[in-house]
Amino acid sequence: MAPDRHDCLLPCPDRLARGPRICNRGKSPHDRLYLAPPALQGAMLALVSRDTSRLALSDAQRLSHFPASPIVTLSWFDGSGMGLVDPDTGWHPFAAQMMISGSHSRPVTTWSPTGGRGYMACFQPDAVPALFGIELAAIQDRFLPAHAVLGAGWQPFLDALLAAPDDAAAMHVLEAALGKRWRAAQGGETSRFLLRQMGRHWVQRLAWQAHQWRDTHSARQVERRIKSFSGRSLREWQSLVRTEGLFFAARERYETGQPFDWATLALDEGFSDQAHLSRVTRQICGFPPTEFADRYIEDESFWIYRLWV
C-alpha cells in the first residue's frame, strides 16, 4: 500500500519493534470505544478515542498495528503528527489532520513522533455511499485527506470534529450531522450490529445482492458489479472476514485462562487445518498466531485489538 506522501521527515522505529503495554495504575484508560448512538445504528459501528498526550511513550509504544478490515474510517488527530509506516519506504506523515480510509486488504501500521489525541469513527462499508456520497472503490487500501474526498460542503462538519473538546462532544457532532441523513437513507429504519458480527453481516448482505443480480446478469457481469459496488470481489471479502470469529474465540480462551490450542481453534472456526489458520492470520494481522497472541497480550501497539475484540 503506497502512502499518499513520499517525504519521510523523521526516523521511525522498525514497524515490528516491540514496546510494553502501558500501565494506567488506576487512572482513566487512554483508549476508549463507544458504540454508535441509536440514530446511527446500522451505519456507524463505533467511535474509538485514544489520548496519549500526557504519557511518556517510547518510539515503539507509539506504533499502532491495525488488521486488514472491511471497515471504513474517518480519523482525526490533535497534535500527534500521525503517519503511515510503509514496509519498504518507512514512515510518511498523513497529508492532513483528518483522513478517510476505505477497507484494507493488508494489515496497516501507523506511528506518531509525539503523543496526542486521536479519534476514529468506524462505519459499515455499505452505509458510506449513502452517508457521504463516495464510492468504496475510490478509497480502498488508501488514506486520503477527508476534505478533498468529501468536498467543501462537509467542511463545517470536519471543523466541528476537530474542535470537539472531548469524546462526548465528538459523538454529538457525528450524531447531529449524520443521524438525519442516515434516517432519510433508510426510510426511517435502523438496524443493530454487534462488533463481533459486523464482517459476517456485511458479507452476507453482499452475497444476497449478488444472488439478486444473478437473475438478470451473467456470472462475469455480477462479479464486475460486486467489485464496482463494494471495491472488491465477493471472494476477497469472504477471505478478509474469515478470521473474525477466530479473534473473539481466542480472546475468550485467554480471559478464561484456557491455553491457545490453535489446532482446535482452527477446526472450530472453519479452517481446514492449523496451517490454513496460520496463513490467513498472517494475511489479516501480519503475524503468525502464536506471535500475534504474545503481542496482543504484551505490546502497547496492539491496543486496537484489545479494545475492539
Side-chain angles (χ1 to χ4, degrees):
M1 176 174 49
D4 292 291
R5 288 182 64 184
H6 301 280
D7 50 333
C8 288
L9 301 180
L10 291 173
C12 168
D14 187 286
R15 67 187 183 89
L16 303 182
R18 303 189 64 174
R21 287 177 63 175
I22 298 168
C23 179
N24 287 307
R25 295 179 180 175
K27 299 178 182 178
S28 60
H30 55 281
D31 304 324
R32 299 181 179 87
L33 183 148
Y34 306 92
L35 295 178
L40 288 174
Q41 286 172 359
M44 180 177 161
L45 288 159
L47 176 66
V48 175
S49 165
R50 179 170 169 86
D51 187 354
T52 61
S53 59
R54 299 182 180 180
L55 300 175
L57 303 182
S58 68
D59 285 348
Q61 287 175 319
R62 292 196 298 275
L63 289 166
S64 293
H65 291 283
F66 299 89
S69 170
I71 294 171
V72 175
T73 61
L74 176 65
S75 305
W76 60 102
F77 319 98
D78 178 16
S80 61
M82 191 65 66
L84 187 68
V85 183
D86 184 272
D88 299 317
T89 59
W91 178 70
H92 303 262
F94 288 135
Q97 272 188 285
M98 301 197 73
M99 304 292 288
I100 193 163
S101 178
S103 65
H104 284 271
S105 57
R106 294 174 294 278
V108 170
T109 304
T110 63
W111 183 70
S112 171
T114 65
R117 184 180 63 149
Y119 290 94
M120 292 191 305
C122 306
F123 297 93
Q124 288 275 10
D126 54 348
V128 169
L131 277 178
F132 299 110
I134 56 179
E135 297 291 335
L136 293 176
I139 58 174
Q140 72 179 38
D141 284 321
R142 304 181 72 188
F143 287 89
L144 299 169
H147 66 275
V149 174
L150 298 179
W154 287 90
Q155 196 61 51
F157 165 66
L158 301 179
D159 289 343
L161 285 177
L162 281 175
D166 53 36
D167 299 358
M171 183 67 85
H172 175 74
V173 172
L174 289 163
E175 187 173 13
L178 301 177
K180 185 176 180 180
R181 180 182 290 265
W182 179 238
R183 286 194 299 273
Q186 293 296 99
E189 298 180 358
T190 61
S191 56
R192 297 176 64 91
F193 293 93
L194 298 176
L195 296 182
R196 183 168 186 165
Q197 299 170 341
M198 187 284 301
R200 191 171 302 166
H201 277 299
W202 164 241
V203 171
Q204 287 173 346
R205 292 198 301 274
L206 202 58
W208 176 246
Q209 181 66 74
H211 177 75
Q212 290 181 310
W213 282 336
R214 287 192 183 103
D215 293 338
T216 55
H217 298 79
S218 69
R220 181 168 294 183
Q221 287 175 323
V222 170
E223 289 179 7
R224 285 200 296 264
R225 286 176 69 92
I226 285 290
K227 194 160 188 176
S228 176
F229 171 71
S230 69
R232 304 189 190 283
S233 70
L234 182 57
R235 184 182 296 273
E236 288 172 322
W237 282 115
Q238 290 168 332
S239 177
L240 192 58
V241 303
R242 183 183 293 275
T243 54
E244 184 180 55
L246 171 68
F247 289 135
F248 285 98
R251 171 159 182 168
E252 288 170 0
R253 285 178 176 268
Y254 167 65
E255 291 184 338
T256 57
Q258 300 178 61
F260 285 100
D261 184 350
W262 295 114
T264 300
L265 276 173
L267 296 178
D268 288 347
E269 298 303 324
F271 296 90
S272 58
D273 53 30
Q274 187 173 343
H276 183 204
L277 178 150
S278 184
R279 288 195 301 273
V280 174
T281 302
R282 281 179 176 273
Q283 292 169 0
I284 299 301
C285 67
F287 301 92
T290 299
E291 184 176 357
F292 169 78
D294 289 342
R295 286 175 176 264
Y296 173 94
I297 295 168
E298 299 172 1
D299 289 15
E300 178 61 26
S301 60
F302 275 60
W303 62 270
I304 190 63
Y305 289 92
R306 294 187 293 269
L307 195 63
W308 192 277
V309 175

